[in-house]
Amino acid sequence: MSREFTTVGVIGLGTMGAGIVEVFARNGIDVIAVDASDEAVERGRSFLTKSTGRALERGKIDQAAYDALHGHVTYASALESLAPCQLVVEAVPEHLDLKKEIFAQLDKIVADDAVLATNTSSLPVTEIAASTSNPKRVVGMHFFNPAPVQQFVEVIRTVITADDVFEDVKALAQRIDKKPVIVGDKAGFIANALLFGYLNHAVAMFESRYATREDIDAAMKLGCGYPMGPLALLDLIGLDTAYEILDTMYKQGRDRLHAPSPIIKQMVSAGLKGRKTGRGFYTYAGAGSPEIVADGHTPGEGAPEGVIVREVSSVGVVGSGTMATGIIEVFARAGRSVTFVARTEERVAGVLAAIEKSQARAVEKGRATREEADALLARLHPSTSRADLAEVDLVVEAIAEDLDLKQELFRDLDRICKPGAILATTTSSLPIIDCAKVTSRPEDVVGMHFFNPAQVMKLVEVVHTVSTSEDVVATVQSLCRELGKHPVTCGDRSGFIVNALLFPYLNDAVKMLSANYATADDIDTAMKTGCGLPMGPFELLDVVGLDVSLAIERELYIEFREPGYAPAPLLEHLVTAGYLGRKTGRGFRTYA
């Protein structure tokens, strides 16, 4: 018979432990909540009172539910109080020796058929289980923070976990309205193994001063729809916790990408552990406060002192694809006169038709008046001749991702455009300096990487080469803000910010699938429900296109020469087979 979990214990009443207590109590299960001292117990009680109090104030629970929830919880400071529990969940800090000591004691306190679970996010569950006399009853039950909100739970099964223990814990997770995913005992499990490699890469990007903390975080929030930027997320998790997780993952897997960036250890040693100490990558209003306050690293607004921004009243756009069309509309909407050049009259007509259709929808939905739409269309000046770009202040190139084609265009623009005109490329992967070097004005060449659809996405990566002048960068940053966009600035290297952080993570997901550690569905579920991402990695790969993804990953590998960036063989095989994602009807999944 399956176990009837009526009384459970939770050890460790920090933010996570208190959240786990709330989850069980909210579902009518009696909970014995234990911490090491009376002071720690009272702190845990205050966490629970504050969390449930907010729910009561916001009408998510009524007074009767509030009283019933707290009625299910008993507090204690002695492990012996856990004797009646059918399940005990350990949620103490990520220190292996501490967890092993607790499990060895629990082994002598609870009944022989009680289940012992650890909430570890990275430590080996098998090693924790080995500290007991009956390792078959030990399982991982990894909740995500905040536990009352996050639906995802990783249930970790070791090679010695008994089948009935594993099934009973899985059933319990479903009973408390969680979405359990079953995984083996591997460092980081699913979510952290993928998440922390990405976070560590973001830290390395910041540490090398490639981009500011604000720009790195804004890039991932606006470019990928992530709920938090990586550095702000690390501050929330705690840099000491992040270091322990990365260090454990590195020691188990020896993947250099999981070796904690040196700055993490330095910050932890200095007491800069994130929100909980009031300072981490950002500075906060106080210990535990979510409010970010300005500090010595907060960038100023506007152009640097002594830099004069150039005037941009007229712009040119070369290209007629989806991206070019979106960029043309964005500039025209912001009141700029736009000369756009396409190769044929048919392509010119196609661009105009697309923008007219877009404006008709805007009027229909009340986002613009008919007069505004007509004025926007009047600012468009179509052409099939590049010579018509002679007097514009800025030209944005949005043609195919082919270096030879782009270089031919930049040579021509260099000849045609007036002195002082800025030449910008929307490339997402090619070296901008290779476009700049074929001109006589490399100081005027810059990257202006819009995201698709350009009319909607607020992010623009402003990419400077070693030759780009300061006033050009400042001008493009200012222009982006006038367009209603959010510019982030970085140097000219493969992937810029977004793709350099996104695609190694996607590649790691493919490697995890190839190793048969988890299914594509489970990995997608883990990252969506556990980390709050808008799409799972395999959903996203199929949308982007496996051929496009492979090309970007190859560029990153060639640029950085990092073995961990080498494209997963499975991705290469799918592309070779013609399975490119949604556009071909088959990728990691098959579509109707």
Side-chain angles (χ1 to χ4, degrees):
M1 283 184 63
S2 61
R3 292 170 178 78
E4 185 67 26
F5 294 112
T6 57
T7 304
V8 304
V10 177
I11 306 173
L13 302 180
T15 306
M16 177 59 79
I20 296 171
V21 170
E22 181 178 340
V23 169
F24 284 127
R26 185 177 284 183
N27 285 276
I29 298 172
D30 291 333
V31 185
I32 300 174
V34 175
D35 214 322
S37 66
D38 291 340
E39 292 80 6
V41 168
E42 285 308 308
R43 186 170 62 249
R45 190 199 300 266
S46 72
F47 286 150
L48 183 60
T49 302
K50 186 176 180 180
S51 173
T52 53
R54 281 197 305 268
L56 181 63
E57 289 173 9
R58 295 171 182 175
K60 294 181 179 179
I61 57 174
D62 57 22
Q63 188 64 50
Y66 176 91
D67 294 339
L69 189 157
H70 284 274
H72 281 295
V73 185
T74 304
Y75 296 92
S77 58
L79 289 179
E80 287 74 18
S81 305
L82 298 167
C85 297
Q86 295 101 23
L87 165 73
V88 178
V89 179
E90 163 274 307
V92 303
E94 290 286 271
H95 300 298
L96 184 59
D97 290 342
L98 174 61
K99 292 180 187 284
K100 289 170 70 174
E101 180 184 345
I102 289 172
F103 271 73
Q105 293 181 54
L106 285 175
D107 198 37
K108 301 170 185 174
I109 294 170
V110 299
D112 291 341
D113 61 347
V115 175
L116 304 180
T118 173
N119 183 57
T120 182
S121 58
S122 61
L123 297 173
V125 179
T126 305
E127 194 166 343
I128 295 171
S131 64
T132 72
S133 62
N134 181 15
K136 293 181 180 179
R137 64 168 168 175
V138 178
V139 69
M141 196 173 188
H142 180 215
F143 290 81
F144 284 72
N145 197 26
V149 176
Q150 296 278 27
Q151 284 192 293
F152 184 59
V153 173
E154 287 174 320
V155 179
I156 299 97
R157 181 177 191 170
T158 74
V159 291
I160 47 179
T161 305
D163 290 344
D164 62 320
V165 168
F166 160 75
E167 292 295 342
D168 290 348
V169 170
K170 177 184 173 184
L172 175 63
Q174 293 169 331
R175 175 183 159 193
I176 59 176
D177 295 324
K178 299 299 181 185
K179 293 182 179 178
V181 167
I182 315 308
V183 293
D185 186 17
K186 172 188 173 183
F189 315 130
I190 297 176
N192 281 352
L194 296 178
L195 175 66
F196 276 85
Y198 151 71
L199 296 178
N200 201 35
H201 188 187
V203 175
M205 186 177 280
F206 168 76
E207 189 173 13
S208 68
R209 300 186 181 183
Y210 177 66
T212 66
R213 60 191 180 182
E214 288 84 359
D215 281 355
I216 292 169
D217 280 355
M220 299 314 290
K221 288 172 64 180
L222 299 175
C224 297
Y226 286 6
M228 293 184 77
L231 302 179
L233 178 55
L234 280 163
D235 275 356
L236 175 63
I237 293 168
L239 270 66
D240 51 342
T241 301
Y243 180 83
E244 292 293 339
I245 292 172
L246 284 164
D247 190 49
T248 300
M249 288 168 56
Y250 175 70
K251 286 174 179 175
Q252 287 191 39
R254 299 297 176 185
D255 183 345
R256 201 187 67 80
L257 297 177
H258 292 152
S261 290
I263 195 174
I264 300 178
K265 187 173 184 179
Q266 294 165 22
M267 293 175 72
V268 171
S269 297
L272 310 179
K273 299 178 182 179
R275 279 196 195 180
K276 58 188 171 187
T277 61
R279 236 185 113 187
F281 288 104
Y282 294 90
T283 299
Y284 298 86
S289 171
E291 181 188 352
I292 295 174
V293 297
D295 58 21
H297 300 290
T298 302
E301 294 185 5
E305 188 176 349
V307 174
I308 300 174
V309 173
R310 302 183 190 182
E311 182 180 352
V312 179
S313 58
S314 61
V315 300
V317 178
V318 182
S320 57
T322 302
M323 180 59 79
T325 302
I327 294 170
I328 293 164
E329 187 172 351
V330 166
F331 278 122
R333 186 190 299 159
R336 296 303 191 280
S337 171
V338 186
T339 301
F340 70 90
V341 179
R343 282 183 294 173
T344 64
E345 293 291 349
E346 290 77 17
R347 289 181 181 273
V348 166
V351 171
L352 287 172
I355 296 176
E356 286 170 358
K357 184 176 180 181
S358 172
Q359 287 304 299
R361 281 199 305 270
V363 171
E364 183 182 333
K365 294 181 178 180
R367 295 196 299 262
T369 65
R370 184 68 262 172
E371 292 74 18
E372 289 171 335
D374 290 342
L376 184 153
L377 294 169
R379 287 191 283 271
L380 302 181
H381 306 288
S383 176
T384 56
S385 172
R386 294 175 185 174
D388 290 334
L389 300 170
E391 295 303 316
V392 300
D393 300 311
L394 165 77
V395 178
V396 178
E397 163 280 303
I399 63 174
E401 285 287 271
D402 182 304
L403 184 58
D404 290 338
L405 289 178
K406 290 183 187 291
Q407 287 183 325
E408 183 274 328
L409 172 59
F410 271 78
R411 288 189 189 95
D412 213 20
L413 293 176
D414 185 40
R415 177 182 60 81
I416 293 167
C417 295
K418 66 183 181 181
I422 296 171
L423 309 182
T425 172
T426 61
T427 183
S428 60
S429 59
L430 296 173
I432 293 164
I433 193 64
D434 284 348
C435 294
K437 73 180 184 182
V438 301
T439 74
S440 62
R441 54 174 105 182
E443 68 280 1
D444 290 337
V445 177
V446 69
M448 201 173 181
H449 180 214
F450 289 81
F451 284 71
N452 197 28
Q455 301 96 319
V456 176
M457 298 292 282
K458 291 184 69 67
L459 184 69
V460 177
E461 288 176 317
V462 179
V463 188
H464 56 82
T465 74
V466 292
S467 301
T468 309
S469 66
E470 278 190 277
D471 65 323
V472 166
V473 174
T475 299
V476 173
Q477 290 171 333
S478 175
L479 177 61
C480 287
R481 295 187 189 99
E482 292 176 25
L483 298 176
K485 302 299 182 183
H486 186 111
V488 297
T489 307
C490 59
D492 181 22
R493 71 183 197 193
S494 186
F496 310 140
I497 298 175
V498 173
N499 284 351
L501 293 178
L502 175 64
F503 280 89
Y505 147 72
L506 297 176
N507 198 39
D508 283 347
V510 180
K511 291 177 183 177
M512 182 178 282
L513 178 66
S514 302
N516 296 310
Y517 178 67
T519 66
D521 287 345
D522 282 351
I523 294 170
D524 278 356
T525 297
M527 301 315 291
K528 287 194 295 183
T529 59
C531 299
L533 305 188
M535 298 181 77
F538 298 105
E539 289 179 273
L540 182 56
L541 282 161
D542 278 355
V543 168
V544 171
L546 273 58
D547 52 340
V548 174
S549 301
L550 178 59
I552 293 171
E553 288 178 11
R554 283 174 172 164
E555 286 289 337
L556 289 171
Y557 178 54
I558 291 169
E559 175 92 342
F560 295 103
R561 307 300 170 99
E562 169 56 59
Y565 289 175
L570 175 59
L571 181 62
E572 294 185 319
H573 295 166
L574 289 168
V575 172
T576 301
Y579 304 149
L580 308 183
R582 286 192 184 179
K583 59 189 174 186
T584 60
R586 183 170 173 184
F588 285 98
R589 293 184 174 87
T590 301
Y591 301 87

